Amino acid sequence: MSNFRIFTNNPSVAGAYGAIVQPIDGGVGQVFNAVRDAVHLGAELISHPLSGSLKPNESPFKSVLLSTTRGPVQRASLTVIEDAAAVFERLPIKARLYSTQVMADFECVDLDLTRQAMRSLPAGFHTYAETEGGADRHDI
């Protein structure tokens, strides 16, 4: 069993890392809500929910890495996810109809950000790649 999960609404991330993905049905707001709920149960944020140069209302996809540990609420993680949710709520909704290619581009950007976050994980979080048949460390 892995010691981290990826909360995502991105089909490309789910396809690449299915065994450790917590799929979220909905938009970025729903991803943030699910992450916040997990943090309330004791999970710790591993990646920042506002990573990348896209504002959370500009891309329809978001992936966030969390530990699978459960225990006391990690106040720092709770503050970060609540602040990210507040930023998302303050931004105007951009209800655009994107082409299939643009949606694929958004998926690709989020997948790349997720891979970059996984590359920077402390060694203790690489158990998925080493023991669960996930992508090898070069593909993380």
Side-chain angles (χ1 to χ4, degrees):
M1 181 167 185
S2 179
N3 55 1
F4 69 96
R5 299 203 40 91
I6 304 169
F7 282 57
T8 187
N9 66 343
N10 183 341
S12 292
V13 171
Y17 301 106
I20 59 170
V21 165
Q22 174 67 48
I24 306 300
D25 187 29
V28 173
Q30 284 77 20
V31 173
F32 285 174
N33 288 341
V35 168
R36 184 203 57 228
D37 292 348
V39 169
H40 275 285
L41 294 173
E44 184 175 358
L45 281 173
I46 299 171
S47 67
H48 199 287
L50 296 178
S51 62
S53 60
L54 291 172
K55 293 180 180 135
N57 68 331
E58 292 176 340
S59 174
F61 302 108
K62 179 53 73 176
S63 300
V64 181
L65 282 67
L66 289 103
S67 71
T68 57
T69 58
R70 296 292 182 255
V73 174
Q74 301 292 316
R75 291 288 174 200
S77 291
L78 186 58
T79 298
V80 169
I81 189 58
E82 287 181 345
D83 287 351
V87 166
F88 177 73
E89 292 297 321
R90 280 195 308 265
L91 295 170
I93 295 173
K94 293 195 175 184
R96 296 182 186 156
L97 295 176
Y98 294 115
S99 69
T100 303
Q101 182 57 51
V102 170
M103 291 296 281
D105 290 345
F106 279 128
E107 284 185 38
C108 183
V109 167
D110 182 63
L111 177 60
D112 187 56
L113 288 170
T114 302
R115 284 185 172 141
Q116 294 300 324
M118 290 176 71
R119 283 187 182 117
S120 67
L121 288 173
F125 285 107
H126 285 284
T127 57
Y128 170 72
E130 296 168 0
T131 63
E132 294 188 25
D136 67 39
R137 290 185 84 132
H138 301 293
D139 291 335
I140 295 176

